[in-house]
Amino acid sequence: MEPQNLTGVSEFLLLGLSEDPEWQPLLFGLFLSMYLISVAGNLLIILAVTSDSHLHTPMYFFLSNLSLADIGFISTTVPKMVVNIQTQSKSITYAGCLTQMSFFYLFGILDSLLLAVMAYDRFVAICHPLLYIVIMNPHLCGLLVLLSFFISLLDSQLHRSMVSQLTFCTDVEIPHFFCDPPQLFNLACSDTSISILLYCMGAIFAGVPISGIIFSYTRIALSLLRVSSSGGKYKAFSTCGSHLSVICLFYGTGLGVYLSSTVSSSPRKGAVASVMYAVVTPMLNPFIYSLRNRDIKRALQRTLSRKV
C-alpha cells in the first residue's frame, strides 16, 4: 500500500474493546458508571481538602492535586469511548487523536510525579519531623506541583511532536479504545526507529519518580527500624498506608499492561489490560484515601452535613 502523508489522514478508527453489537450496551453502561464514580469521588476529595481547614497541610494539598490529575487522566479516554459507543461511530479526527495522546501522557506522567512528591513529603514528615513545617513550606509545595506539571507538559509535547512525524498507510484502524502511541507505530508506514527514543523517554520519565519513591520509602523504613515501640512504628507508618496502596495500584497495573503486551501478541488483550490503569486506578484512588484515612472521612462528613 502507498503511504500517505499524515496531514492527508483526516481520521483514525478506534475499534474499542469489542466489536460485538451485543456487548455495546454493557460497555456503555459500565464505562459511563466508572467515569461518573471516578469524577464524583475525586471531586469529593478536592472539596473536602479545600473546605476543611484541618486538611490545609502539604500532604492533602498534594492529594487534591493528584485527584485533579486523576479526573483529567480518565477524562482523556473514557468520554470519547462512551460517545463513540452511543453514536455507533468509531472515528476520531487526526487532530483529536494527537490531542488525546498528549493529554493522556500529560496526566499520566503528572500522576507519577505527584506520587513521587507525596513520597518525599512522607519522608520529610517521618524522618525530619521537627523540620517538616520549615522544609515543606507553601512555596516549596507550590513549586513541586508546578515543576511536576511542566515536566509532564514537556513529555506530552515531545510525544506529540515525534508521533506527528509519522506517515501512515490507508489502514488507520487502532485496536484500542484510545490513541495509544505503540498502536500508532504499528500502523505507520514510515521509519519507526524514532519509537526507540520514545521508549527511552518513557523509561526516564517513569524511572525517575519510581527511584524517588523507592529512595523515600527506604529511608522511611530505616528510620522506623530505629523506633523502639511498636505503637510508634504503626502510628508513623499508618500515614503512608493509603499512599503505598495507590502506588502499588498505579505502577502494578501499568507494569501488568506492559508485561501482558510483551507476552501476548493480541492488541485487543492489551486494550483490555489498559482499562486497569487508565480507568480503574483513577476510580479507586478516592476510595483508597477516604476509606483508609480518618481525616478525610471526618472532613467529608462535616462537608456533606453542612451542604445538607
PDB file of all heavy atoms in Angstrom, residues 198-233:
ATOM      1  N   LEU A 198      11.335   7.320  21.984  1.00  0.00           N
ATOM      2  CA  LEU A 198      10.151   7.498  22.832  1.00  0.00           C
ATOM      3  C   LEU A 198      10.161   6.531  24.011  1.00  0.00           C
ATOM      4  O   LEU A 198       9.798   6.899  25.128  1.00  0.00           O
ATOM      5  CB  LEU A 198       8.880   7.301  21.999  1.00  0.00           C
ATOM      6  CG  LEU A 198       8.503   8.439  21.045  1.00  0.00           C
ATOM      7  CD1 LEU A 198       7.241   8.095  20.284  1.00  0.00           C
ATOM      8  CD2 LEU A 198       8.311   9.736  21.810  1.00  0.00           C
ATOM      9  N   TYR A 199      10.594   5.288  23.766  1.00  0.00           N
ATOM     10  CA  TYR A 199      10.660   4.313  24.850  1.00  0.00           C
ATOM     11  C   TYR A 199      11.735   4.722  25.870  1.00  0.00           C
ATOM     12  O   TYR A 199      11.560   4.521  27.084  1.00  0.00           O
ATOM     13  CB  TYR A 199      10.943   2.919  24.302  1.00  0.00           C
ATOM     14  CG  TYR A 199       9.760   2.297  23.601  1.00  0.00           C
ATOM     15  CD1 TYR A 199       9.874   1.799  22.305  1.00  0.00           C
ATOM     16  CD2 TYR A 199       8.521   2.209  24.238  1.00  0.00           C
ATOM     17  CE1 TYR A 199       8.791   1.235  21.661  1.00  0.00           C
ATOM     18  CE2 TYR A 199       7.433   1.646  23.598  1.00  0.00           C
ATOM     19  CZ  TYR A 199       7.568   1.163  22.311  1.00  0.00           C
ATOM     20  OH  TYR A 199       6.483   0.606  21.672  1.00  0.00           O
ATOM     21  N   CYS A 200      12.846   5.290  25.383  1.00  0.00           N
ATOM     22  CA  CYS A 200      13.886   5.776  26.295  1.00  0.00           C
ATOM     23  C   CYS A 200      13.359   6.932  27.141  1.00  0.00           C
ATOM     24  O   CYS A 200      13.611   7.002  28.349  1.00  0.00           O
ATOM     25  CB  CYS A 200      15.114   6.219  25.511  1.00  0.00           C
ATOM     26  SG  CYS A 200      16.027   4.869  24.726  1.00  0.00           S
ATOM     27  N   MET A 201      12.608   7.840  26.481  1.00  0.00           N
ATOM     28  CA  MET A 201      11.989   8.948  27.218  1.00  0.00           C
ATOM     29  C   MET A 201      11.035   8.418  28.271  1.00  0.00           C
ATOM     30  O   MET A 201      11.005   8.901  29.411  1.00  0.00           O
ATOM     31  CB  MET A 201      11.242   9.863  26.253  1.00  0.00           C
ATOM     32  CG  MET A 201      12.133  10.750  25.398  1.00  0.00           C
ATOM     33  SD  MET A 201      11.186  11.548  24.093  1.00  0.00           S
ATOM     34  CE  MET A 201       9.755  12.121  25.017  1.00  0.00           C
ATOM     35  N   GLY A 202      10.231   7.420  27.873  1.00  0.00           N
ATOM     36  CA  GLY A 202       9.283   6.843  28.824  1.00  0.00           C
ATOM     37  C   GLY A 202       9.979   6.219  30.014  1.00  0.00           C
ATOM     38  O   GLY A 202       9.517   6.348  31.158  1.00  0.00           O
ATOM     39  N   ALA A 203      11.107   5.540  29.743  1.00  0.00           N
ATOM     40  CA  ALA A 203      11.872   4.921  30.840  1.00  0.00           C
ATOM     41  C   ALA A 203      12.412   5.975  31.795  1.00  0.00           C
ATOM     42  O   ALA A 203      12.417   5.788  33.018  1.00  0.00           O
ATOM     43  CB  ALA A 203      13.007   4.083  30.258  1.00  0.00           C
ATOM     44  N   ILE A 204      12.856   7.118  31.245  1.00  0.00           N
ATOM     45  CA  ILE A 204      13.393   8.188  32.086  1.00  0.00           C
ATOM     46  C   ILE A 204      12.287   8.838  32.904  1.00  0.00           C
ATOM     47  O   ILE A 204      12.406   8.999  34.133  1.00  0.00           O
ATOM     48  CB  ILE A 204      14.109   9.245  31.219  1.00  0.00           C
ATOM     49  CG1 ILE A 204      15.358   8.643  30.574  1.00  0.00           C
ATOM     50  CG2 ILE A 204      14.479  10.463  32.063  1.00  0.00           C
ATOM     51  CD1 ILE A 204      16.024   9.548  29.568  1.00  0.00           C
ATOM     52  N   PHE A 205      11.187   9.225  32.223  1.00  0.00           N
ATOM     53  CA  PHE A 205      10.108   9.935  32.909  1.00  0.00           C
ATOM     54  C   PHE A 205       9.376   9.038  33.910  1.00  0.00           C
ATOM     55  O   PHE A 205       8.750   9.543  34.847  1.00  0.00           O
ATOM     56  CB  PHE A 205       9.118  10.497  31.885  1.00  0.00           C
ATOM     57  CG  PHE A 205       9.587  11.768  31.233  1.00  0.00           C
ATOM     58  CD1 PHE A 205      10.102  11.759  29.947  1.00  0.00           C
ATOM     59  CD2 PHE A 205       9.520  12.982  31.910  1.00  0.00           C
ATOM     60  CE1 PHE A 205      10.544  12.929  29.347  1.00  0.00           C
ATOM     61  CE2 PHE A 205       9.968  14.155  31.325  1.00  0.00           C
ATOM     62  CZ  PHE A 205      10.483  14.129  30.039  1.00  0.00           C
ATOM     63  N   ALA A 206       9.425   7.722  33.713  1.00  0.00           N
ATOM     64  CA  ALA A 206       8.820   6.806  34.682  1.00  0.00           C
ATOM     65  C   ALA A 206       9.834   6.354  35.718  1.00  0.00           C
ATOM     66  O   ALA A 206       9.487   6.135  36.887  1.00  0.00           O
ATOM     67  CB  ALA A 206       8.230   5.587  33.959  1.00  0.00           C
ATOM     68  N   GLY A 207      11.105   6.211  35.292  1.00  0.00           N
ATOM     69  CA  GLY A 207      12.119   5.692  36.193  1.00  0.00           C
ATOM     70  C   GLY A 207      12.513   6.657  37.290  1.00  0.00           C
ATOM     71  O   GLY A 207      12.749   6.244  38.436  1.00  0.00           O
ATOM     72  N   VAL A 208      12.570   7.957  36.968  1.00  0.00           N
ATOM     73  CA  VAL A 208      12.967   8.948  37.976  1.00  0.00           C
ATOM     74  C   VAL A 208      11.961   9.001  39.138  1.00  0.00           C
ATOM     75  O   VAL A 208      12.374   8.953  40.313  1.00  0.00           O
ATOM     76  CB  VAL A 208      13.150  10.340  37.327  1.00  0.00           C
ATOM     77  CG1 VAL A 208      13.340  11.411  38.399  1.00  0.00           C
ATOM     78  CG2 VAL A 208      14.337  10.326  36.374  1.00  0.00           C
ATOM     79  N   PRO A 209      10.643   9.100  38.879  1.00  0.00           N
ATOM     80  CA  PRO A 209       9.700   9.081  40.009  1.00  0.00           C
ATOM     81  C   PRO A 209       9.755   7.787  40.811  1.00  0.00           C
ATOM     82  O   PRO A 209       9.693   7.821  42.047  1.00  0.00           O
ATOM     83  CB  PRO A 209       8.333   9.237  39.328  1.00  0.00           C
ATOM     84  CG  PRO A 209       8.617   9.886  38.028  1.00  0.00           C
ATOM     85  CD  PRO A 209       9.950   9.361  37.610  1.00  0.00           C
ATOM     86  N   ILE A 210       9.890   6.655  40.121  1.00  0.00           N
ATOM     87  CA  ILE A 210       9.970   5.371  40.832  1.00  0.00           C
ATOM     88  C   ILE A 210      11.208   5.341  41.728  1.00  0.00           C
ATOM     89  O   ILE A 210      11.154   4.880  42.878  1.00  0.00           O
ATOM     90  CB  ILE A 210       9.985   4.202  39.831  1.00  0.00           C
ATOM     91  CG1 ILE A 210       8.634   4.090  39.122  1.00  0.00           C
ATOM     92  CG2 ILE A 210      10.311   2.892  40.535  1.00  0.00           C
ATOM     93  CD1 ILE A 210       8.606   3.045  38.029  1.00  0.00           C
ATOM     94  N   SER A 211      12.331   5.840  41.211  1.00  0.00           N
ATOM     95  CA  SER A 211      13.562   5.882  42.017  1.00  0.00           C
ATOM     96  C   SER A 211      13.375   6.769  43.241  1.00  0.00           C
ATOM     97  O   SER A 211      13.839   6.435  44.340  1.00  0.00           O
ATOM     98  CB  SER A 211      14.722   6.399  41.166  1.00  0.00           C
ATOM     99  OG  SER A 211      14.946   5.568  40.050  1.00  0.00           O
ATOM    100  N   GLY A 212      12.693   7.909  43.044  1.00  0.00           N
ATOM    101  CA  GLY A 212      12.422   8.793  44.177  1.00  0.00           C
ATOM    102  C   GLY A 212      11.541   8.143  45.221  1.00  0.00           C
ATOM    103  O   GLY A 212      11.768   8.308  46.432  1.00  0.00           O
ATOM    104  N   ILE A 213      10.540   7.398  44.772  1.00  0.00           N
ATOM    105  CA  ILE A 213       9.641   6.701  45.701  1.00  0.00           C
ATOM    106  C   ILE A 213      10.397   5.625  46.474  1.00  0.00           C
ATOM    107  O   ILE A 213      10.260   5.506  47.704  1.00  0.00           O
ATOM    108  CB  ILE A 213       8.456   6.093  44.930  1.00  0.00           C
ATOM    109  CG1 ILE A 213       7.549   7.205  44.396  1.00  0.00           C
ATOM    110  CG2 ILE A 213       7.659   5.140  45.823  1.00  0.00           C
ATOM    111  CD1 ILE A 213       6.487   6.714  43.440  1.00  0.00           C
ATOM    112  N   ILE A 214      11.211   4.847  45.766  1.00  0.00           N
ATOM    113  CA  ILE A 214      11.984   3.785  46.421  1.00  0.00           C
ATOM    114  C   ILE A 214      12.961   4.383  47.433  1.00  0.00           C
ATOM    115  O   ILE A 214      13.109   3.881  48.560  1.00  0.00           O
ATOM    116  CB  ILE A 214      12.731   2.939  45.366  1.00  0.00           C
ATOM    117  CG1 ILE A 214      11.731   2.153  44.518  1.00  0.00           C
ATOM    118  CG2 ILE A 214      13.710   1.981  46.048  1.00  0.00           C
ATOM    119  CD1 ILE A 214      12.370   1.406  43.362  1.00  0.00           C
ATOM    120  N   PHE A 215      13.632   5.470  47.049  1.00  0.00           N
ATOM    121  CA  PHE A 215      14.576   6.122  47.974  1.00  0.00           C
ATOM    122  C   PHE A 215      13.854   6.620  49.224  1.00  0.00           C
ATOM    123  O   PHE A 215      14.322   6.406  50.356  1.00  0.00           O
ATOM    124  CB  PHE A 215      15.256   7.292  47.263  1.00  0.00           C
ATOM    125  CG  PHE A 215      16.065   8.165  48.176  1.00  0.00           C
ATOM    126  CD1 PHE A 215      17.340   7.783  48.585  1.00  0.00           C
ATOM    127  CD2 PHE A 215      15.547   9.369  48.661  1.00  0.00           C
ATOM    128  CE1 PHE A 215      18.089   8.592  49.439  1.00  0.00           C
ATOM    129  CE2 PHE A 215      16.281  10.173  49.510  1.00  0.00           C
ATOM    130  CZ  PHE A 215      17.560   9.780  49.904  1.00  0.00           C
ATOM    131  N   SER A 216      12.703   7.286  49.026  1.00  0.00           N
ATOM    132  CA  SER A 216      11.974   7.855  50.167  1.00  0.00           C
ATOM    133  C   SER A 216      11.526   6.770  51.127  1.00  0.00           C
ATOM    134  O   SER A 216      11.712   6.885  52.354  1.00  0.00           O
ATOM    135  CB  SER A 216      10.765   8.654  49.664  1.00  0.00           C
ATOM    136  OG  SER A 216      11.166   9.771  48.904  1.00  0.00           O
ATOM    137  N   TYR A 217      10.949   5.694  50.602  1.00  0.00           N
ATOM    138  CA  TYR A 217      10.428   4.661  51.490  1.00  0.00           C
ATOM    139  C   TYR A 217      11.538   3.782  52.068  1.00  0.00           C
ATOM    140  O   TYR A 217      11.342   3.173  53.132  1.00  0.00           O
ATOM    141  CB  TYR A 217       9.367   3.829  50.767  1.00  0.00           C
ATOM    142  CG  TYR A 217       8.012   4.492  50.846  1.00  0.00           C
ATOM    143  CD1 TYR A 217       7.469   5.170  49.761  1.00  0.00           C
ATOM    144  CD2 TYR A 217       7.290   4.484  52.029  1.00  0.00           C
ATOM    145  CE1 TYR A 217       6.239   5.808  49.852  1.00  0.00           C
ATOM    146  CE2 TYR A 217       6.066   5.107  52.131  1.00  0.00           C
ATOM    147  CZ  TYR A 217       5.547   5.770  51.046  1.00  0.00           C
ATOM    148  OH  TYR A 217       4.329   6.409  51.146  1.00  0.00           O
ATOM    149  N   THR A 218      12.669   3.709  51.399  1.00  0.00           N
ATOM    150  CA  THR A 218      13.815   3.020  52.003  1.00  0.00           C
ATOM    151  C   THR A 218      14.299   3.782  53.234  1.00  0.00           C
ATOM    152  O   THR A 218      14.553   3.196  54.296  1.00  0.00           O
ATOM    153  CB  THR A 218      14.958   2.882  50.989  1.00  0.00           C
ATOM    154  OG1 THR A 218      14.519   2.130  49.861  1.00  0.00           O
ATOM    155  CG2 THR A 218      16.155   2.180  51.619  1.00  0.00           C
ATOM    156  N   ARG A 219      14.405   5.110  53.093  1.00  0.00           N
ATOM    157  CA  ARG A 219      14.814   5.940  54.237  1.00  0.00           C
ATOM    158  C   ARG A 219      13.766   5.895  55.346  1.00  0.00           C
ATOM    159  O   ARG A 219      14.108   5.896  56.540  1.00  0.00           O
ATOM    160  CB  ARG A 219      15.022   7.376  53.771  1.00  0.00           C
ATOM    161  CG  ARG A 219      16.184   7.566  52.803  1.00  0.00           C
ATOM    162  CD  ARG A 219      17.529   7.288  53.479  1.00  0.00           C
ATOM    163  NE  ARG A 219      17.751   8.169  54.632  1.00  0.00           N
ATOM    164  CZ  ARG A 219      18.295   9.384  54.535  1.00  0.00           C
ATOM    165  NH1 ARG A 219      18.699   9.844  53.355  1.00  0.00           N
ATOM    166  NH2 ARG A 219      18.453  10.124  55.604  1.00  0.00           N
ATOM    167  N   ILE A 220      12.487   5.854  54.965  1.00  0.00           N
ATOM    168  CA  ILE A 220      11.413   5.764  55.968  1.00  0.00           C
ATOM    169  C   ILE A 220      11.521   4.451  56.737  1.00  0.00           C
ATOM    170  O   ILE A 220      11.418   4.418  57.971  1.00  0.00           O
ATOM    171  CB  ILE A 220      10.036   5.893  55.303  1.00  0.00           C
ATOM    172  CG1 ILE A 220       9.806   7.335  54.831  1.00  0.00           C
ATOM    173  CG2 ILE A 220       8.919   5.471  56.260  1.00  0.00           C
ATOM    174  CD1 ILE A 220       8.550   7.519  54.005  1.00  0.00           C
ATOM    175  N   ALA A 221      11.731   3.349  56.002  1.00  0.00           N
ATOM    176  CA  ALA A 221      11.838   2.036  56.641  1.00  0.00           C
ATOM    177  C   ALA A 221      13.035   1.980  57.585  1.00  0.00           C
ATOM    178  O   ALA A 221      12.938   1.464  58.713  1.00  0.00           O
ATOM    179  CB  ALA A 221      11.957   0.953  55.570  1.00  0.00           C
ATOM    180  N   LEU A 222      14.177   2.518  57.154  1.00  0.00           N
ATOM    181  CA  LEU A 222      15.361   2.533  58.016  1.00  0.00           C
ATOM    182  C   LEU A 222      15.133   3.391  59.253  1.00  0.00           C
ATOM    183  O   LEU A 222      15.595   3.053  60.356  1.00  0.00           O
ATOM    184  CB  LEU A 222      16.568   3.056  57.229  1.00  0.00           C
ATOM    185  CG  LEU A 222      17.084   2.158  56.104  1.00  0.00           C
ATOM    186  CD1 LEU A 222      18.192   2.853  55.324  1.00  0.00           C
ATOM    187  CD2 LEU A 222      17.559   0.820  56.648  1.00  0.00           C
ATOM    188  N   SER A 223      14.412   4.496  59.076  1.00  0.00           N
ATOM    189  CA  SER A 223      14.117   5.367  60.220  1.00  0.00           C
ATOM    190  C   SER A 223      13.190   4.674  61.210  1.00  0.00           C
ATOM    191  O   SER A 223      13.374   4.792  62.428  1.00  0.00           O
ATOM    192  CB  SER A 223      13.487   6.665  59.726  1.00  0.00           C
ATOM    193  OG  SER A 223      13.134   7.503  60.810  1.00  0.00           O
ATOM    194  N   LEU A 224      12.220   3.940  60.716  1.00  0.00           N
ATOM    195  CA  LEU A 224      11.273   3.257  61.600  1.00  0.00           C
ATOM    196  C   LEU A 224      11.919   2.092  62.344  1.00  0.00           C
ATOM    197  O   LEU A 224      11.462   1.716  63.429  1.00  0.00           O
ATOM    198  CB  LEU A 224      10.076   2.753  60.789  1.00  0.00           C
ATOM    199  CG  LEU A 224       9.154   3.835  60.215  1.00  0.00           C
ATOM    200  CD1 LEU A 224       7.995   3.211  59.442  1.00  0.00           C
ATOM    201  CD2 LEU A 224       8.606   4.726  61.330  1.00  0.00           C
ATOM    202  N   LEU A 225      12.954   1.498  61.754  1.00  0.00           N
ATOM    203  CA  LEU A 225      13.655   0.411  62.443  1.00  0.00           C
ATOM    204  C   LEU A 225      14.328   0.888  63.727  1.00  0.00           C
ATOM    205  O   LEU A 225      14.559   0.099  64.636  1.00  0.00           O
ATOM    206  CB  LEU A 225      14.703  -0.211  61.505  1.00  0.00           C
ATOM    207  CG  LEU A 225      14.160  -1.053  60.346  1.00  0.00           C
ATOM    208  CD1 LEU A 225      15.300  -1.528  59.453  1.00  0.00           C
ATOM    209  CD2 LEU A 225      13.366  -2.248  60.870  1.00  0.00           C
ATOM    210  N   ARG A 226      14.607   2.194  63.767  1.00  0.00           N
ATOM    211  CA  ARG A 226      15.251   2.745  64.964  1.00  0.00           C
ATOM    212  C   ARG A 226      14.244   3.143  66.039  1.00  0.00           C
ATOM    213  O   ARG A 226      14.629   3.532  67.136  1.00  0.00           O
ATOM    214  CB  ARG A 226      16.102   3.960  64.573  1.00  0.00           C
ATOM    215  CG  ARG A 226      17.293   3.612  63.687  1.00  0.00           C
ATOM    216  CD  ARG A 226      18.273   4.767  63.598  1.00  0.00           C
ATOM    217  NE  ARG A 226      17.714   5.877  62.833  1.00  0.00           N
ATOM    218  CZ  ARG A 226      17.902   6.047  61.525  1.00  0.00           C
ATOM    219  NH1 ARG A 226      18.624   5.156  60.843  1.00  0.00           N
ATOM    220  NH2 ARG A 226      17.398   7.089  60.903  1.00  0.00           N
ATOM    221  N   VAL A 227      12.947   3.076  65.690  1.00  0.00           N
ATOM    222  CA  VAL A 227      11.905   3.374  66.680  1.00  0.00           C
ATOM    223  C   VAL A 227      11.692   2.132  67.538  1.00  0.00           C
ATOM    224  O   VAL A 227      11.460   1.031  67.029  1.00  0.00           O
ATOM    225  CB  VAL A 227      10.588   3.778  65.977  1.00  0.00           C
ATOM    226  CG1 VAL A 227       9.493   4.030  67.003  1.00  0.00           C
ATOM    227  CG2 VAL A 227      10.815   5.019  65.121  1.00  0.00           C
ATOM    228  N   SER A 228      11.755   2.303  68.865  1.00  0.00           N
ATOM    229  CA  SER A 228      11.697   1.146  69.770  1.00  0.00           C
ATOM    230  C   SER A 228      10.282   0.597  69.936  1.00  0.00           C
ATOM    231  O   SER A 228      10.069  -0.613  69.904  1.00  0.00           O
ATOM    232  CB  SER A 228      12.272   1.537  71.135  1.00  0.00           C
ATOM    233  OG  SER A 228      11.555   2.654  71.670  1.00  0.00           O
ATOM    234  N   SER A 229       9.285   1.466  70.104  1.00  0.00           N
ATOM    235  CA  SER A 229       7.929   0.994  70.389  1.00  0.00           C
ATOM    236  C   SER A 229       7.204   0.621  69.101  1.00  0.00           C
ATOM    237  O   SER A 229       7.309   1.300  68.079  1.00  0.00           O
ATOM    238  CB  SER A 229       7.136   2.070  71.127  1.00  0.00           C
ATOM    239  OG  SER A 229       6.937   3.200  70.304  1.00  0.00           O
ATOM    240  N   SER A 230       6.463  -0.491  69.172  1.00  0.00           N
ATOM    241  CA  SER A 230       5.687  -0.928  68.007  1.00  0.00           C
ATOM    242  C   SER A 230       4.549   0.047  67.720  1.00  0.00           C
ATOM    243  O   SER A 230       4.163   0.244  66.562  1.00  0.00           O
ATOM    244  CB  SER A 230       5.122  -2.327  68.246  1.00  0.00           C
ATOM    245  OG  SER A 230       4.313  -2.346  69.418  1.00  0.00           O
ATOM    246  N   GLY A 231       4.022   0.671  68.786  1.00  0.00           N
ATOM    247  CA  GLY A 231       2.962   1.658  68.601  1.00  0.00           C
ATOM    248  C   GLY A 231       3.443   2.869  67.831  1.00  0.00           C
ATOM    249  O   GLY A 231       2.732   3.410  66.981  1.00  0.00           O
ATOM    250  N   GLY A 232       4.668   3.291  68.122  1.00  0.00           N
ATOM    251  CA  GLY A 232       5.247   4.428  67.406  1.00  0.00           C
ATOM    252  C   GLY A 232       5.488   4.116  65.947  1.00  0.00           C
ATOM    253  O   GLY A 232       5.267   4.959  65.069  1.00  0.00           O
ATOM    254  N   LYS A 233       5.934   2.871  65.677  1.00  0.00           N
ATOM    255  CA  LYS A 233       6.142   2.459  64.289  1.00  0.00           C
ATOM    256  C   LYS A 233       4.828   2.461  63.526  1.00  0.00           C
ATOM    257  O   LYS A 233       4.758   2.936  62.387  1.00  0.00           O
ATOM    258  CB  LYS A 233       6.767   1.064  64.241  1.00  0.00           C
ATOM    259  CG  LYS A 233       8.191   0.993  64.756  1.00  0.00           C
ATOM    260  CD  LYS A 233       8.729  -0.430  64.668  1.00  0.00           C
ATOM    261  CE  LYS A 233      10.158  -0.503  65.195  1.00  0.00           C
ATOM    262  NZ  LYS A 233      10.685  -1.887  65.131  1.00  0.00           N
TER     263      LYS A 233
END
